[in-house]
């Protein structure tokens, strides 16, 4: 990447932070001028699943959040050293309040109120640290509005007013800071929180209108015509829908005019959600996606008024889906989004996932839900995806700087895609990317084919060498096929491996003329955290072997 562009990225980010600090200072100076409403009008519904076990743990002074457990010993969790950044984000976001409504009794309300009161005393006026990061504040506003009945049950007037005053100030904070929020999901959630607050709290009609218009703008700028999100992360749509559906219903219940893009935007997002759904009900692991609770998807699909068969392709999000019989193949055939939107994007161009029956057989490694930044960055590399890696280098390269949040600085620039259905019913996707062209002078070409019954999948990976490259040294390539942790791999011979699911369904992976090896792997996207798994590898070199063919055939 040219040094001028790199310097520009630094300058833009530095200027954004300066403006953000200036806005924060103005907020601190005028924090006592905030208007405090007398009451809340409504509590929007939370569609996320409730776990009574989590509520009981919290009642007993234990917080099971973000894959960690914090023993408070009767103290406020906000006075203790927290186990991880992910834990702190989860704690300060207050999404866990939903579990406290699992039993509608005074004990659960009293504990929830005491924890909120502790936060108000320790963090309510500080406006610094993780507690006041923009996305954490937006998540907290949504949680406090949605679960205010639990927190305010039998509350005295003093606490009620203190709670509402803090909510009002946090809403003002989001209004002032929204323009400085990182583009993408965070900014969308900020606008969503502001729209929810505008109809849940007494405000002027102009505030409701402006919040609605700002949300419409995010639909226009972030939700693509095919319903995908600009981040190309399949899970973002799910997370947004879990808040957008209650928002839509609250507008309707209160008789307000809905934001113009709310209904059409939701209707676009549902087909995209179905597109990425595998046979086991979980979402495909592309570009930052991680594990998904089956209950979350089921709760959303109940409200799907656009039900139908998933699309074969998402032309704007740039994904392809092959489906026949019980088999589904989903492939990434798109470019990384530019600039700040690439902060969570993976270098997985031309990677694919395959599921059959009730199981995912071949996956990408996914993104860890609660791990540290080092693991997050490892999960973004090409080697963590089911595709070809050349000379142990990712097809898109990332900034090494935390300041730039490791955004993509040297991306894949061109992806060519062609799709045809053969006379015998085979569905064929041919694609290529130039992520290795600049450094190594080659294109990676991949062909994926699924037969009409879904029982045989064939693949071809080829290194197409440019004229400038001819005569130069050898290139080492590795085609990796990551197996889901639930799948057992058994070496049958040098060229083939048997993949068996827990229910006995099996597929034979083979590559004639090549050595297929089983190697240790890491699966980042398991619901319980990072876990061990296996992968199949085929190593080959150019110019000795410019292409490899491989096959997947159902055995039982």
């Amino acid at each position: 990447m040219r040094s001028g562009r790199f310097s520009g990225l630094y300058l833009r980010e530095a200027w954004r932070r300066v403006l953000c600090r200036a806005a924060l200072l103005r907020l601190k100076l005028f924090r006592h001028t905030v208007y405090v409403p007398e009451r809340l009008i409504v509590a929007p519904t939370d569609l996320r699943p409730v776990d009574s076990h989590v509520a009981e743990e919290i009642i007993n002074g234990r917080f099971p959040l973000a894959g960690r457990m914090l023993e408070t010993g009767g103290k406020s969790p906000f006075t203790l050293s927290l186990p991880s950044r992910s834990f702190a984000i989860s704690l300060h976001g207050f999404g866990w309040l939903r579990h406290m409504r699992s039993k509608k009794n005074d004990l659960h309300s009293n504990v929830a109120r005491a924890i909120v009161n502790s936060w108000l005393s320790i963090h309510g006026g500080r406006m610094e640290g993780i507690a006041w990061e923009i996305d954490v504040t937006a998540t907290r506003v949504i949680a406090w509005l949605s679960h205010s009945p639990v927190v305010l049950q039998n509350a005295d007037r003093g606490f009620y007013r203190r709670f509402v005053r803090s909510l009002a100030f946090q809403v003002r904070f989001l209004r002032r800071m929204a323009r400085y929020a990182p583009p993408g999901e965070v900014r969308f959630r900020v606008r969503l929180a502001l729209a929810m607050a505008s109809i849940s709290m007494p405000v002027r009609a102009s505030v409701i209108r402006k919040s609605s218009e700002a949300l419409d703008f995010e639909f226009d700028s972030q939700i693509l015509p095919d319903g995908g999100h600009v981040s190309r992360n399949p899970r973002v749509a799910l997370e947004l829908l879990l808040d957008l559906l209650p928002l839509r219903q609250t507008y309707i219940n209160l008789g307000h005019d809905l934001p113009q893009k709310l209904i059409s935007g939701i209707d676009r997002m549902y087909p995209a959600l179905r597109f990425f759904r595998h046979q086991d009900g979980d979402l495909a692991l592309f570009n930052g996606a991680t594990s998904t609770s089956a209950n979350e998807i089921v709760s959303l699909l109940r409200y799907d008024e656009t039900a139908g068969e998933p699309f074969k392709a998402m032309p704007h999000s740039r994904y392809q889906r092959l489906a026949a019989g019980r088999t589904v193949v989903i492939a990434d055939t798109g470019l990384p989004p530019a600039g700040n939107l690439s902060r969570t994007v993976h270098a997985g161009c031309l990677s694919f996932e395959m599921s059959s029956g009730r199981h995912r057989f071949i996956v990408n490694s996914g993104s860890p839900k609660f791990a540290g930044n080092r693991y997050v960055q490892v999960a973004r590399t090409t080697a963590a995806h089911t595709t070809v890696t050349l000379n142990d280098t990712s097809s898109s390269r990332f900034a090494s700087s935390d300041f730039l949040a490791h955004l993509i600085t040297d991306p894949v620039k061109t992806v060519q895609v062609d799709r045809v259905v053969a006379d015998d019913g085979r569905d064929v996707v041919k694609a290529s990317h130039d992520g290795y062209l600049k450094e190594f002078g080659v294109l990676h070409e991949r062909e994926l084919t699924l037969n009409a019954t879904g029982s045989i999948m064939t693949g071809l990976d080829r290194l197409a060498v440019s004229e400038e490259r001819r005569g130069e040294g050898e290139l080492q390539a590795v085609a990796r096929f990551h197996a889901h942790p639930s799948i057992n791999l058994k070496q049958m011979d040098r060229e083939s491996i048997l993949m068996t699911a827990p229910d006995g369904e099996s597929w034979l992976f083979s590559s004639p003329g090549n050595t297929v090896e089983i190697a240790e792997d890491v699966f980042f996207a398991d619901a319980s955290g990072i876990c061990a798994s296996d992968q199949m590898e085929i190593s080959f070199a150019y110019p000795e072997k410019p292409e490899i063919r491989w096959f997947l055939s159902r055995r039982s």
Side-chain angles (χ1 to χ4, degrees):
M1 188 186 66
R2 290 176 298 182
S3 59
R5 183 185 170 201
F6 200 67
S7 300
L9 291 171
Y10 263 94
L11 288 172
R12 283 194 294 273
E13 177 60 18
W15 183 239
R16 185 191 72 83
R17 296 190 185 197
V18 168
L19 293 176
C20 193
R21 290 193 187 98
L24 194 59
L25 178 60
R26 288 195 297 271
L27 275 168
K28 288 181 177 179
L29 290 174
F30 298 101
R31 61 171 297 115
H32 298 294
T33 63
V34 64
Y35 165 73
V36 183
E38 289 295 319
R39 61 187 178 88
L40 299 179
I41 297 173
V42 69
T45 305
D46 189 341
L47 297 180
R48 294 172 176 83
V50 171
D51 189 338
S52 60
H53 174 71
V54 174
E56 289 305 313
E57 292 282 25
I58 293 174
I59 291 292
N60 292 306
R62 294 186 293 270
F63 284 76
L65 304 176
R68 306 291 287 272
M69 176 70 79
L70 176 68
E71 294 270 2
T72 64
K75 299 179 181 179
S76 164
F78 302 109
T79 63
L80 305 176
S81 177
L82 302 181
S84 67
R85 173 176 168 80
S86 296
F87 187 99
I89 289 172
S90 183
L91 180 65
H92 286 288
F94 280 85
W96 51 266
L97 273 176
R98 69 182 184 276
H99 303 300
M100 305 302 284
R101 74 169 196 262
S102 59
K103 293 183 180 178
K104 298 180 180 179
N105 58 36
D106 289 344
L107 176 60
H108 285 63
S109 291
N110 291 342
V111 171
R113 184 161 54 254
I115 298 169
V116 171
N117 194 47
S118 172
W119 187 91
L120 291 171
S121 299
I122 298 171
H123 293 284
R126 293 176 63 180
M127 294 177 61
E128 60 186 34
I130 291 175
W132 284 89
E133 290 181 3
I134 296 175
D135 53 337
V136 177
T137 305
T139 301
R140 183 171 56 249
V141 165
I142 293 172
W144 281 19
L145 289 171
S146 298
H147 304 294
S148 55
V150 176
V151 177
L152 297 176
Q153 181 177 317
N154 298 326
D156 59 49
R157 181 170 177 78
F159 177 83
Y160 191 110
R161 184 163 180 80
R162 193 178 183 206
F163 178 79
V164 175
R165 172 184 285 276
S166 179
L167 257 178
F169 182 74
Q170 290 178 64
V171 169
R172 176 192 274 192
F173 172 88
L174 290 178
R175 286 200 187 106
R176 295 291 176 86
M177 305 301 289
R179 71 185 68 178
Y180 310 115
E185 182 184 3
V186 172
R187 188 173 294 174
F188 202 120
R189 181 161 288 107
V190 169
R191 294 303 184 185
L192 200 158
L194 289 172
M196 190 174 288
S198 74
I199 56 175
S200 300
M201 305 170 73
V203 296
R204 297 187 302 275
S206 61
V207 174
I208 298 176
R209 187 186 70 254
K210 289 178 180 178
S211 298
S212 175
E213 291 171 350
L215 186 61
D216 279 339
F217 179 82
E218 298 307 326
F219 270 109
D220 280 340
S221 60
Q222 294 197 41
I223 305 303
L224 301 170
D226 59 16
H229 187 259
V230 289
S231 68
R232 306 190 68 242
N233 181 340
R235 188 179 165 83
V236 169
L238 180 145
E239 292 288 349
L240 293 176
L241 282 170
L242 284 168
D243 291 320
L244 286 169
L245 290 174
L247 177 65
R248 179 183 67 179
Q249 194 58 46
T250 305
Y251 270 106
I252 294 171
N253 291 344
L254 296 177
H256 291 299
D257 292 333
L258 276 73
Q260 293 181 5
K261 306 301 173 65
L262 182 59
I263 299 293
S264 61
I266 290 174
D267 287 346
R268 290 204 313 277
M269 294 166 76
Y270 264 120
L273 193 66
R274 290 199 306 274
F275 177 96
F276 289 113
R277 197 178 185 210
H278 271 298
Q279 295 290 71
D280 66 346
D282 210 338
L283 297 181
L285 300 173
F286 295 104
N287 293 304
T290 188
S291 62
T292 303
S293 164
N295 291 335
E296 288 179 327
I297 297 181
V298 169
S299 67
L300 286 180
L301 293 179
R302 289 184 313 188
Y303 300 92
D304 183 6
E305 299 173 357
T306 65
E309 289 297 314
F311 299 140
K312 288 187 175 182
M314 295 183 67
H316 302 89
S317 301
R318 301 292 297 273
Y319 287 94
Q320 299 287 328
R321 179 185 174 103
L322 295 80
R326 297 184 302 164
T327 305
V328 169
V329 177
I330 305 172
D332 179 352
T333 56
L335 299 172
N340 285 328
L341 286 171
S342 70
R343 290 168 187 256
T344 60
V345 172
H346 289 198
C349 191
L350 302 196
S351 64
F352 76 90
E353 296 194 338
M354 186 276 281
S355 61
S356 177
R358 293 180 297 169
H359 299 280
R360 285 176 288 168
F361 280 79
I362 293 179
V363 294
N364 295 312
S365 296
S367 185
K369 207 167 190 177
F370 306 122
N373 185 61
R374 182 169 67 90
Y375 289 107
V376 171
Q377 299 310 319
V378 170
R380 298 176 71 192
T381 62
T382 300
H385 296 76
T386 294
T387 187
V388 172
T389 306
L390 194 58
N391 278 16
D392 201 27
T393 304
S394 288
S395 57
S396 289
R397 268 70 72 186
F398 311 99
S400 58
S401 165
D402 285 335
F403 188 79
L404 291 178
H406 302 279
L407 54 80
I408 288 181
T409 57
D410 190 10
V412 172
K413 297 179 176 62
T414 304
V415 179
Q416 300 289 342
V417 184
D418 184 33
R419 184 166 183 169
V420 297
V421 177
D423 293 339
D424 59 1
R426 289 179 299 120
D427 202 352
V428 185
V429 172
K430 299 178 181 180
S432 66
H433 76 73
D434 65 353
Y436 293 122
L437 185 61
K438 180 180 177 182
E439 187 165 356
F440 302 114
V442 301
L443 296 173
H444 173 208
E445 298 178 348
R446 168 164 272 186
E447 182 177 312
L448 303 175
T449 303
L450 186 65
N451 71 349
T453 61
S455 60
I456 300 175
M457 179 185 177
T458 63
L460 167 68
D461 284 299
R462 177 188 297 116
L463 299 181
V465 182
S466 66
E467 291 296 330
E468 293 80 5
R469 170 74 200 180
R470 296 189 188 282
E472 294 190 16
E474 186 177 78
L475 297 173
Q476 297 294 328
V478 180
R480 292 182 172 88
F481 302 82
H482 298 271
H484 189 272
S486 65
I487 302 301
N488 179 65
L489 302 186
K490 180 181 179 181
Q491 192 90 44
M492 304 302 288
D493 54 43
R494 184 178 70 88
E495 298 178 346
S496 61
I497 292 172
L498 187 66
M499 310 178 69
T500 306
D503 64 358
E505 180 175 350
S506 61
W507 286 71
L508 185 69
F509 180 90
S510 60
S511 182
N514 299 299
T515 299
V516 184
E517 298 180 323
I518 298 175
E520 292 182 351
D521 196 12
V522 176
F523 186 63
F524 292 108
D526 194 76
S528 61
I530 298 173
C531 67
S533 59
D534 293 310
Q535 61 182 313
M536 300 173 292
E537 293 183 348
I538 305 172
S539 298
F540 61 106
Y542 180 88
E544 177 185 349
K545 183 171 288 189
E547 68 179 43
I548 58 170
R549 292 183 181 273
W550 45 266
F551 301 84
L552 274 160
S553 55
R554 183 187 288 119
R555 289 304 173 96
S556 64

